[in-house]
Amino acid sequence: MEVPQPFQSQYYFLYGSLMDQSTLARVIKRPHRPELIPARIVRYRLKLWGAYPALLDGSEDAVVIGMAYEVRSLSEQRYLEAYESDYYVNSPCVIELEGGKAVVGRTFKWAVDQSLLRDGAFDLRDWQLDSIDTR
């Protein structure tokens, strides 16, 4: 029988609506805005699923810009996984943090039919404005 390992905090690379501190705080059920670190991942690309970005494997020179957040509990991890739904899979990646430090972390990659995706770019500011309009 496998013995469960204790949870260890680790960085998650966030690249869509979760780059918004208020949204992230609501998703992980924190009373305060969490600290985010500008970051990027290499060899990935984005497409759009409706208004939301979907992370896919990319060419060697492909770069996705986003934010890193240190997930500190199993409940935070589970809240993120529930938010991302079954359309995304929790995957390992190497995250380059602002300042040049690289860490092994995790991100959410698109997990279903790529024909559901279209070319386009996610703009956080546009998303935030649209979110305000729909409240």
Side-chain angles (χ1 to χ4, degrees), residues 64-88:
V64 175
I65 304 296
M67 295 287 183
Y69 171 68
E70 187 177 3
V71 171
R72 294 182 174 95
S73 70
L74 186 56
S75 61
E76 283 187 353
Q77 178 184 311
R78 288 183 175 155
Y79 291 140
L80 288 173
E81 289 170 344
Y83 178 79
E84 293 294 356
S85 78
D86 292 338
Y87 284 79
Y88 296 84

Side-chain angles (χ1 to χ4, degrees), residues 97-112:
L97 303 173
E98 182 179 59
K101 180 181 176 184
V103 297
V104 175
R106 303 198 67 83
T107 193
F108 292 95
K109 288 176 58 177
W110 184 252
V112 296

Side-chain angles (χ1 to χ4, degrees), residues 26-116:
R26 188 175 67 252
V27 168
I28 63 174
K29 302 186 184 334
R30 290 207 35 205
H32 305 291
R33 290 178 171 204
E35 180 184 341
L36 295 174
I37 301 167
R40 68 186 211 152
I41 55 175
V42 179
R43 294 190 180 111
Y44 293 93
R45 62 190 170 98
L46 293 175
K47 287 194 138 191
L48 291 178
W49 175 50
Y52 296 96
L55 187 69
L56 303 164
D57 291 328
S59 63
E60 280 192 31
D61 60 343
V63 175
V64 175
I65 304 296
M67 295 287 183
Y69 171 68
E70 187 177 3
V71 171
R72 294 182 174 95
S73 70
L74 186 56
S75 61
E76 283 187 353
Q77 178 184 311
R78 288 183 175 155
Y79 291 140
L80 288 173
E81 289 170 344
Y83 178 79
E84 293 294 356
S85 78
D86 292 338
Y87 284 79
Y88 296 84
V89 63
N90 189 337
S91 299
C93 66
V94 175
I95 304 168
E96 296 177 13
L97 303 173
E98 182 179 59
K101 180 181 176 184
V103 297
V104 175
R106 303 198 67 83
T107 193
F108 292 95
K109 288 176 58 177
W110 184 252
V112 296
D113 188 353
Q114 289 188 23
S115 71
L116 298 172

